[in-house]
Amino acid sequence: MSARLEGWGRLIDRSEPLTYSFNGRDLRGYRGDTLASALLAAGQVMQGRSFKYHRPRGPVAAGAEEPNALVNLGQGARFEPDQRATTTELFEGLVAESQNHWPSLDFDVGVVNNALARFLPAGFYNKTFMAPRGAWKHVFEPAIRQSAGLGRAPKAADADRYEHLYAHYDVVVVGGGVAGLTAARAAATSGLRVLVMEQAPHWGGRAPVDGGEIDRLDPEGWVRNVVEELEKAKNVTLRRRMMAAGVYDHGYLIGYERVADHTPLDGRPRHRLWRIRAGRIVTATGAIERPLAFAGNDVPGVMLASAMRDYLVNWGAAVGRRVVVVTNNDDAYRTALAMHEAGREVAAVLDARPLVTGALATRVREAGIRVLEGRAIAKVHGRKGVTGVAVTAQAGAGGAVEEIGCDAVAMSGGWSPVVHLWSHCGGKLVWDEAQALFRPDPSRPPTGADGEGFVVTAGAASGALTLAGALADGHDAGKAAAKAMGGKVTRKAAPKAEPEEAQPILPVWIMPAEAGPELKAKMWLDFQNDVKVSDVELAAREGYESVEHTKRYTTLGMATDQGKLSNINGLAVLSQALGQDIPATGTTTFRPPYTPISMASIAGEARGELFQPLRRSPIHDWHEANGAHWEPVGHWRRPYTYPRGAETLAEAVNREVNNTRANVGLLDASTLGKIVVKGPDAGRFLDMMYTNVMSSLPVGKCRYGLMCSENGFLIDDGVVARLAEDTWLCHTTTGGADRIHGHMEDWLQCEWWDWKVYTANLTEQFAQIGVVGPKARAVLEALGGMDLSKEALPFMHWAEGELAGIPARVFRISFSGELSYEIAVPAGRGRELWDRLVEAGEAHGVMPYGTEALHVMRAEKGFIMIGDETDGTVIPQDLGLNWAISKKKEDFLGKRAQERPHMADPERWKLIGLETLDGSVIPDGAYIVADGVNENGQRNTQGRVTSTYFSPTLGRGIAMALLHRGPERMGEEVEIPVLGAGKAPIRARVVETCFFDKPGAKQDV
Amino acid sequence: MLTLECPYCGIKADETELAPGGEAHLKRQGPGASDEEFEGYMFARANPKGVHFERWRHAMGCGKWFLAARDTVTLEVYGTYPAQTAAPPKALMEKIEKRQSDRGGK
């Protein structure tokens, strides 16, 4: 049954029919349709079911505020749930399904919730928590999860492309209706850079639908002229299909451009996120009509009067053949006139106002339409569609005075300015008693870096609801914005429209005024979340006096529409229930985004390989070519191990450890942080940075050092080499290089700025290779170059020279307990040195080893690892590192903190080694339990495992752990539970942390 | 998202270029400080409704630390200045005073 009317539909192009599918049914629409208008024109009024009660629902609005008509859109990798049919432009081949129903839209099992409605009042969700513990987990949660929820989550990765764009404008006008265009035109005459965005695909907003004359032109013609003029202006950028999602600090504005939603697969990015810095923002965002709260106001076919008019005028889709209009203000009379003109029967206009005198009402009466004064709807008849209304007196309790048969109802409860963008960054509102609406208070705008307001409202968004008023206000707003940015506006006068003679609105929050509980339980405030007048009143009775609490308790104003239709009505009902004025109740907080934006647009191009930059060592390609299994370390990738043939990772690690201990291994240590600290005061500075003394280190020697935060906790460690009288090289952990460099700079710049010290992070300037194992010296000697004998370069010394013709700095330091050289060469020659080492090492059985073998070997030696043994709560004293804390120095970062009683407390958990009795490996992150249970019935703990490995050298599991008074408990057995039902706990003996070569004989040869 | 002008390189930097560093002009308390002094230095921070002196680093730019005087309510930035000072510049304090008395008079 087509409801498309000839001669109507200014936005559709009848020469371009389109085929689309809804719930598997192929349907026809036109270019210019929205999915909602096409469905309405096809006679499909019911387009979804509600969230909680699964009630049949049709569109109630025609734009971004739509709460009901949400669909699953697209398929596979282009599937997206919760898309508003009212803002989805139709395209050839569009596929949509309605949501929240099973097995079908027409017949839904979940509607049983509707029958149970009196058992599911406001806060029922919270109340279920009060039942016995098991009931939530086994009864309520599964049932709620099954029946509630909106669309399905997509399963496939998004196939489309998205991008970000950065832009700067002097003035940004949000909204391309007549007020926004007027503001833009005024601002543009100043020559400043102006951006105008409109969320819909067309300019002009409501004016072409609502009628009137602007500068003696019909609004449509006037809009066309002004847009043409703005298009010609070089300083103006115009964008349609672009919504301002949010206004943030200092004029930051997010624009969400739906570039190709309506032209899929045309190669353009689907969405573009504009990250805009605006000098001034003009919000010409219009107003949204409010529903009226009467029983059955959610039946498909009941819709906002403005929406019914939009569907007719914009898309030629007539909702209903016999219509009842119900209102408390003049505007809905426009709908009655339009429907009448389109040849539809308007059965009556029910006006809650006792006496109706406005000019529009006169025209309606003259058209022969009944206007019933002081009347209201007591009840809408029908379930999946309207069959009629019971008419009552607004002043009464709902006794029907007349039944009127009809198949659609147009309702208007007045208009609310769209104040979201004004409010996002702190703009305040004022209650306008005469118009019964909240509007921006121009004296309390959101303020920017200069302390001045940076948002100006224009038109209906200011509360200027008439055409003439909106034009004047828009002109002033554009002028003010340009002037604030130092622009000179040359256009003097605002466009003119005839003033309208309007009768004031009568605020109506409940219809009829004295309705009883029976009716109130059927009056919907929030359609999307199924919140009714009775729910808000219940919340008030239960003590929810704050509008923010009521929102969360009842879910009023939540979910994808964020209460665009329900907020004002809801807080008005709450105010009535609490017996206070509306301003005393206030509004909930408006938060971005204005309407939901796609997650993919937020990600933009930062996905896959572009998600994060990857840092590669100069030897990366060799690792890749030789089968490295990668491990992410910060932004670096480091080889974890190099499995050969059919080896498992664990087998590869064991082989690498054994070979390094028996022959020689190569480690790419290039990622290690390398910070040069230089200057006359460098020694003094490092004595503050490290817990031990670095100023006394002789040139040519290396020293292991610890860094603590000012709060006393260990933050990094590494070997420091003194390069020259005034120069030190500080090695940091791989992940710590940037952080520690920043830490040094912080203290240098902000505390000791008069000290003569310079730091440079040279991490990427050098490649560094560890040559480790008993045959390390033999391999290096084969390269030819500097003398690396024990006498020439003893343990913990460094020397500079040449190796294989490459300038090198060689450090004799060991993180494995083996004879070990770390060789730093210019980054560009790192690969060359590595290749030469592989060649020269062949005769000595050289193998590369990865980070896991490095970890195992350091754990065998009892060396700590930042991030394993430390977690931001550990001090060096916990780790038995007192030897590295100077007692002589007056001061260093963390010294005062470590003097606090709890830091010096002998009861702290301290580092020890653990040897499992059966040789097994303790799981990562395991806890050591103590006797008894805590107040939650959980086992008490006395320690936790920080590092645990299989040691191929010892052929058994080894671990380090922080244990209560650990070092005093050598030889004691402890118990470590293992996760998993029926698994026996592991028993382990407390031993020293060094498991291998305690005297250090192997490294000092 | 704030914009602050880096006093070293003169760039109006987006907040994404900057790293925050908390309250400015703290006096360091080291060994010898009482528990109360150390606690105040380490943990007690001003949380004013109004002018706040704070540390920022132009982390994704020149790398320098600088200080800013910012109103936590209006987000007005009265000025930014180099970190190498124990107190805000006199001219800045006068500007803040003037702005506040102007606003009070409105």
Side-chain angles (χ1 to χ4, degrees):
Chain A
M1 179 196 71
S2 174
R4 190 84 75 176
L5 298 185
E6 280 303 319
W8 293 80
R10 54 183 279 269
L11 298 179
I12 54 169
D13 179 356
R14 284 170 211 257
S15 71
E16 207 178 333
L18 301 169
T19 308
Y20 67 101
S21 126
F22 180 71
N23 287 342
R25 199 155 60 99
D26 279 343
L27 296 166
R28 300 289 288 276
Y30 295 112
R31 176 78 61 204
D33 257 327
T34 65
L35 177 59
S37 71
L39 286 170
L40 287 173
Q44 182 75 45
V45 178
M46 181 171 149
Q47 297 180 7
R49 283 186 179 264
S50 69
F51 182 77
K52 189 163 149 188
Y53 302 132
H54 290 223
R55 285 171 66 91
R57 289 286 164 77
V60 67
E65 68 273 33
E66 171 59 30
N68 286 334
L70 302 181
V71 296
N72 290 321
L73 201 63
Q75 290 169 303
R78 291 193 164 77
F79 171 84
E80 205 168 15
D82 300 332
Q83 298 303 294
R84 281 175 306 284
T86 52
T87 57
T88 298
E89 285 180 73
L90 204 64
F91 55 85
E92 181 64 30
L94 178 149
V95 177
E97 285 175 343
S98 54
Q99 299 181 164
N100 272 2
H101 60 72
W102 186 86
S104 76
L105 178 60
D106 215 39
F107 175 76
D108 175 68
V109 172
V111 78
V112 69
N113 287 2
N114 191 26
L116 298 176
R118 68 193 181 92
F119 301 113
L120 302 172
F124 85 96
Y125 201 82
N126 309 55
K127 283 164 184 159
T128 59
F129 295 128
M130 303 297 285
R133 197 183 266 246
W136 169 251
K137 193 171 174 197
H138 300 292
V139 181
F140 295 117
E141 189 186 358
I144 290 168
R145 284 203 191 283
Q146 180 64 34
S147 61
L150 295 171
R152 299 194 310 271
K155 289 201 173 72
D158 194 317
D160 281 307
R161 195 160 64 79
Y162 301 82
E163 66 183 25
H164 285 189
L165 188 140
Y166 294 80
H168 292 78
Y169 288 96
D170 297 309
V171 176
V172 174
V173 178
V174 180
V178 293
L181 293 174
T182 300
R185 189 164 65 160
T189 60
S190 68
L192 293 168
R193 280 166 51 80
V194 178
L195 168 70
V196 193
M197 65 176 97
E198 164 56 46
Q199 63 182 0
H202 43 85
W203 298 106
R206 293 211 55 80
V209 175
D210 291 352
E213 274 190 357
I214 309 174
D215 288 344
R216 300 216 186 95
L217 289 170
D218 69 81
E220 186 129 23
W222 182 88
V223 166
R224 202 181 307 119
N225 291 350
V226 175
V227 169
E228 245 172 57
E229 182 188 326
L230 291 173
E231 274 169 349
K232 280 189 200 132
K234 285 198 172 63
N235 58 325
V236 179
T237 307
L238 294 166
R239 276 287 185 281
R240 289 170 298 153
R241 301 185 174 91
M242 180 156 148
M243 173 192 68
V247 169
Y248 304 83
D249 303 348
H250 290 182
Y252 189 66
L253 175 70
I254 291 283
Y256 175 64
E257 186 182 8
R258 297 170 66 188
V259 180
D261 266 346
H262 61 301
T263 55
L265 301 173
D266 73 346
R268 293 186 298 167
R270 181 164 168 244
H271 298 152
R272 184 179 290 136
L273 201 73
W274 289 56
R275 306 175 67 166
I276 303 165
R277 240 352 135 167
R280 289 292 182 275
I281 299 168
V282 178
T283 62
T285 43
I288 290 175
E289 195 167 28
R290 295 192 292 255
L292 284 166
F294 49 82
N297 60 349
D298 71 325
V299 175
V302 180
M303 66 167 60
L304 295 173
S306 58
M308 186 179 283
R309 192 156 83 236
D310 287 341
Y311 285 119
L312 175 66
V313 177
N314 285 337
W315 298 288
V319 181
R321 297 182 166 272
R322 190 176 148 85
V323 178
V324 166
V325 177
V326 57
T327 186
N328 64 346
N329 67 90
D330 278 8
D331 190 63
Y333 286 85
R334 291 194 169 95
T335 301
L337 287 169
M339 291 301 277
H340 176 75
E341 200 185 321
R344 301 280 143 153
E345 186 182 348
V346 179
V349 177
L350 312 180
D351 197 321
R353 296 174 291 189
L355 200 66
V356 178
T357 58
L360 278 163
T362 305
R363 281 172 58 199
V364 166
R365 282 174 170 134
E366 282 165 7
I369 299 168
R370 288 171 73 202
V371 174
L372 306 181
E373 294 170 329
R375 287 292 180 254
I377 289 181
K379 195 174 192 302
V380 174
H381 301 301
R383 232 166 51 78
K384 291 181 190 170
V386 177
T387 57
V389 297
V391 179
T392 186
Q394 170 60 21
V401 295
E402 187 182 347
E403 295 284 343
I404 301 179
C406 62
D407 57 359
V409 176
M411 61 179 164
S412 178
W415 290 79
S416 297
V418 174
V419 297
H420 299 63
L421 298 176
W422 169 268
S423 303
H424 282 169
C425 208
K428 300 287 185 288
L429 304 176
V430 63
W431 178 250
D432 182 329
E433 194 76 46
Q435 298 194 95
L437 50 80
F438 275 109
R439 61 173 167 80
D441 179 353
S443 68
R444 293 179 297 164
T447 48
D450 57 1
E452 304 298 323
F454 68 89
V455 179
V456 193
T457 60
S462 305
L465 295 181
T466 64
L467 182 57
L471 293 167
D473 191 59
H475 183 74
D476 289 347
K479 247 169 66 175
K483 212 176 141 207
M485 292 305 293
K488 196 161 173 283
V489 174
T490 55
R491 179 175 284 276
K492 295 284 180 284
K496 297 260 175 322
E498 281 301 308
E500 293 152 40
E501 186 207 323
Q503 182 187 350
I505 184 174
L506 173 74
V508 169
W509 309 116
I510 296 173
M511 178 174 263
E514 307 299 327
E518 191 88 347
L519 291 180
K520 283 176 176 172
K522 294 288 175 199
M523 294 177 184
W524 263 260
L525 290 170
D526 186 320
F527 298 97
Q528 190 166 97
N529 290 306
D530 275 333
V531 180
K532 301 164 294 183
V533 168
S534 54
D535 294 316
V536 171
E537 291 186 341
L538 178 65
R541 279 200 304 279
E542 292 186 354
Y544 290 86
E545 293 176 7
S546 152
V547 64
E548 297 282 10
H549 289 160
T550 299
K551 169 175 174 171
R552 276 129 194 107
Y553 192 58
T554 61
T555 72
L556 175 85
M558 293 198 184
T560 74
D561 66 336
Q562 285 289 296
K564 290 186 180 60
L565 297 183
S566 63
N567 272 341
I568 303 300
N569 287 350
L571 68 90
V573 169
L574 180 66
S575 301
Q576 274 189 358
L578 296 171
Q580 65 190 20
D581 291 341
I582 287 171
T585 303
T587 67
T588 52
T589 309
F590 295 91
R591 291 192 179 86
Y594 174 61
T595 63
I597 65 177
S598 63
M599 295 302 290
S601 71
I602 297 169
E605 277 153 348
R607 51 192 285 193
E609 281 196 349
L610 294 180
F611 177 66
Q612 206 172 44
L614 190 65
R615 296 175 83 180
R616 295 176 168 88
S617 95
I619 309 162
H620 187 95
D621 292 348
W622 190 93
H623 306 318
E624 183 88 44
N626 285 271
H629 179 81
W630 295 105
E631 175 183 34
V633 183
H635 287 181
W636 296 99
R637 287 288 175 282
R638 296 189 71 181
Y640 174 89
T641 184
Y642 304 80
R644 295 181 171 179
E647 266 182 345
T648 63
L649 295 183
E651 286 164 356
V653 170
N654 292 344
R655 171 178 51 73
E656 289 169 9
V657 171
N658 288 333
N659 186 68
T660 303
R661 293 248 185 258
N663 298 308
V664 58
L666 294 182
L667 175 77
D668 181 1
S670 304
T671 61
L672 210 66
K674 307 168 201 81
I675 299 168
V676 167
V677 179
K678 190 179 176 75
D681 291 315
R684 180 186 179 197
F685 173 65
L686 290 178
D687 283 349
M688 291 303 295
M689 291 285 113
Y690 286 91
T691 60
N692 44 355
V693 185
M694 289 300 171
S695 56
S696 65
L697 182 66
V699 174
K701 286 196 77 172
C702 303
R703 185 172 286 166
Y704 175 71
L706 301 175
M707 278 191 184
C708 289
S709 65
E710 185 72 313
N711 205 5
F713 298 112
L714 187 53
I715 56 170
D716 209 69
D717 69 346
V719 170
V720 177
R722 188 162 188 179
L723 301 184
E725 204 42 51
D726 68 344
T727 312
W728 282 254
L729 171 65
C730 303
H731 288 113
T732 73
T733 57
T734 292
D738 298 315
R739 177 171 48 86
I740 295 302
H741 184 233
H743 172 71
M744 286 180 173
E745 281 295 320
D746 189 352
W747 287 100
L748 269 181
Q749 292 180 32
C750 302
E751 186 67 26
W752 301 304
W753 65 76
D754 51 341
W755 293 11
K756 297 191 175 77
V757 184
Y758 184 80
T759 72
N761 183 355
L762 300 184
T763 301
E764 293 182 344
Q765 271 61 49
F766 292 95
Q768 196 145 320
I769 299 170
V771 184
V772 182
K775 297 178 183 169
R777 189 175 288 134
V779 172
L780 291 171
E781 280 168 353
L783 290 184
M786 53 199 286
D787 182 359
L788 298 174
S789 65
K790 184 181 179 181
E791 295 69 35
L793 184 59
F795 185 54
M796 293 307 273
H797 282 64
W798 66 272
E800 227 164 41
E802 264 192 11
L803 277 176
I806 305 168
R809 193 183 281 149
V810 183
F811 305 89
R812 263 207 70 186
I813 52 181
S814 179
F815 200 38
S816 58
E818 296 299 325
L819 170 63
S820 167
Y821 295 88
E822 285 200 15
I823 302 158
V825 298
R829 305 195 70 176
R831 175 63 192 274
E832 182 187 349
L833 177 64
W834 181 272
D835 288 343
R836 298 301 307 277
L837 286 165
V838 172
E839 282 163 33
E842 209 176 350
H844 303 280
V846 74
M847 287 180 190
Y849 68 91
T851 51
E852 188 64 1
L854 168 132
H855 274 95
V856 172
M857 288 191 279
R858 68 91 193 166
E860 289 175 342
K861 283 295 292 177
F863 295 147
I864 63 140
M865 181 69 88
I866 299 293
D868 285 341
E869 275 64 42
T870 69
D871 64 356
T873 69
V874 172
I875 55 176
Q877 293 86 336
D878 295 339
L879 304 178
L881 294 171
N882 303 57
W883 60 268
I885 304 170
S886 168
K887 293 187 183 53
K888 279 184 257 162
K889 285 197 293 186
E890 271 179 28
D891 195 3
F892 58 83
L893 293 183
K895 183 176 168 73
R896 175 63 185 86
Q898 288 168 3
E899 287 167 0
R900 289 173 294 181
H902 65 284
M903 294 278 201
D905 190 346
E907 302 294 325
R908 290 178 74 89
W909 289 6
K910 295 196 169 183
L911 195 71
I912 45 94
L914 286 177
E915 218 173 55
T916 54
L917 299 191
D918 62 359
S920 63
V921 181
I922 302 169
D924 255 329
Y927 271 79
I928 303 167
V929 290
D931 290 337
V933 292
N934 66 14
E935 60 270 29
N936 293 322
Q938 300 156 326
R939 249 334 253 284
N940 283 325
T941 57
Q942 55 175 333
R944 62 189 161 81
V945 174
T946 56
S947 288
T948 168
Y949 299 99
F950 174 74
S951 161
T953 310
L954 305 173
R956 56 176 304 121
I958 60 168
M960 286 193 273
L962 290 162
L963 177 66
H964 180 229
R965 287 181 171 269
E968 301 166 25
R969 296 168 62 179
M970 288 298 146
E972 208 178 290
E973 280 179 25
V974 293
E975 190 178 295
I976 298 144
V978 180
L979 288 181
K983 291 213 174 147
I986 295 176
R987 294 196 65 79
R989 185 176 296 112
V990 178
V991 295
E992 292 192 24
T993 51
C994 184
F995 293 89
F996 176 68
D997 186 22
K998 193 153 182 248
K1002 284 197 85 181
Q1003 66 193 10
D1004 193 11
V1005 291
Chain B
M1 190 163 69
L2 305 174
T3 28
L4 296 173
E5 187 173 313
C6 172
Y8 293 97
C9 57
I11 281 173
K12 273 195 178 158
D14 248 22
E15 204 174 315
T16 49
E17 278 182 55
L18 305 169
E23 190 182 339
H25 303 305
L26 295 176
K27 188 181 171 327
R28 181 167 183 262
Q29 301 289 338
S34 70
D35 283 353
E36 289 69 29
E37 284 166 338
F38 186 71
E39 183 196 15
Y41 157 62
M42 201 67 227
F43 302 112
R45 292 292 178 270
N47 185 18
K49 187 175 180 181
V51 188
H52 187 235
F53 297 92
E54 55 198 22
R55 289 160 20 94
W56 290 89
R57 186 182 185 210
H58 196 186
M60 299 294 156
C62 66
K64 294 288 186 197
W65 282 95
F66 63 88
L67 308 180
R70 184 180 64 96
D71 192 305
T72 58
V73 180
T74 65
L75 302 187
E76 176 168 0
V77 180
Y78 298 104
T80 57
Y81 51 101
Q84 290 77 42
T85 174
K90 196 160 165 268
L92 177 65
M93 292 308 289
E94 282 164 3
K95 180 184 171 188
I96 293 170
E97 226 161 86
K98 184 165 184 314
R99 284 290 297 173
Q100 287 185 326
S101 68
D102 285 357
R103 197 172 297 137
K106 257 183 202 170

